[in-house]
Amino acid sequence: MSNIRNNYLKILDVINSLQLDFNACIVAGRKPKMTDIEVIALSLTA
């Protein structure tokens, strides 16, 4: 299980190093539990 977590964290670091702006738009409503970058890293890990 920790291997999946390590892969997720590595992918998240790579995406963060690209310095892309995913949170450019403001959305009304409740605050999401995960950021856009975290969702992308999770889907790439899967």
Side-chain angles (χ1 to χ4, degrees):
M1 195 61 121
S2 65
N3 192 20
I4 293 173
R5 185 170 187 256
N6 289 338
N7 289 343
Y8 168 76
L9 292 175
K10 287 178 187 177
I11 292 172
L12 188 60
D13 286 339
V14 169
I15 293 174
N16 281 331
S17 70
L18 297 175
Q19 298 178 354
L20 301 173
D21 187 20
F22 285 106
N23 297 324
C25 62
I26 299 172
V27 179
R30 64 181 198 184
K31 184 177 183 263
K33 293 183 179 180
M34 296 178 75
T35 63
D36 292 341
I37 294 174
E38 291 172 339
V39 171
I40 292 170
L42 184 63
S43 65
L44 288 174
T45 304

